[in-house]
Amino acid sequence: MALVRDAAERLVYVLPLGAVVDDMGRVIDRINAHFGTDFDRFEHTPDAVAEVHAGRGYHAGPSEQRDQLKADTRADFDAQLQADPALRHTLEEANALHDALTRKREAEYR
């Protein structure tokens, strides 16, 4: 697990979802610093966020249709988890890796 985590920390930049939702501009700044890139900063204002959501459809922002899709997907996934021990094990490993990667970033992001 440590080897995978170490490689992942160099190759990807994982942040908690709240960080991305709350201030994408700050996320882009962090990505640029981490990878030496020069992506344009997104100014995370209500108007800019609304513009992004307007052009993306129901799946890009809060909506009743999206909430229903998420509930249906969750129910299907939960049923699969109950039926498949290997899937439960894979999910446990994925959650452990996610926790290891985000724990460090959450501390840095605050």
Side-chain angles (χ1 to χ4, degrees):
M1 174 71 89
L3 183 61
V4 171
R5 185 191 67 237
D6 292 345
E9 284 184 350
R10 287 190 307 275
L11 300 173
V12 297
Y13 196 84
V14 179
L15 283 169
L17 179 61
V20 177
V21 172
D22 293 342
D23 190 351
M24 190 61 185
R26 187 172 176 196
V27 170
I28 293 171
D29 291 344
R30 298 276 181 144
I31 296 289
N32 285 336
H34 184 79
F35 292 108
T37 53
D38 190 25
F39 294 111
D40 291 339
R41 188 174 207 283
F42 176 77
E43 295 303 328
H44 204 108
T45 65
D47 289 342
V49 172
E51 185 178 331
V52 168
H53 287 284
R56 302 282 173 128
Y58 72 89
H59 62 283
S63 71
E64 288 182 26
Q65 188 175 4
R66 182 176 177 221
D67 289 344
Q68 186 60 54
L69 180 62
K70 286 168 47 178
D72 293 346
T73 301
R74 169 52 67 188
D76 289 345
F77 186 68
D78 286 345
Q80 290 178 33
L81 279 176
Q82 292 301 317
D84 188 347
L87 181 59
R88 286 193 302 272
H89 178 73
T90 300
L91 179 60
E92 289 168 5
E93 287 181 331
N95 283 334
L97 179 58
H98 175 268
D99 291 346
L101 292 172
T102 57
R103 190 175 309 113
K104 178 180 178 183
R105 297 291 181 227
E106 283 176 341
E108 290 174 357
Y109 198 78
R110 292 174 201 244

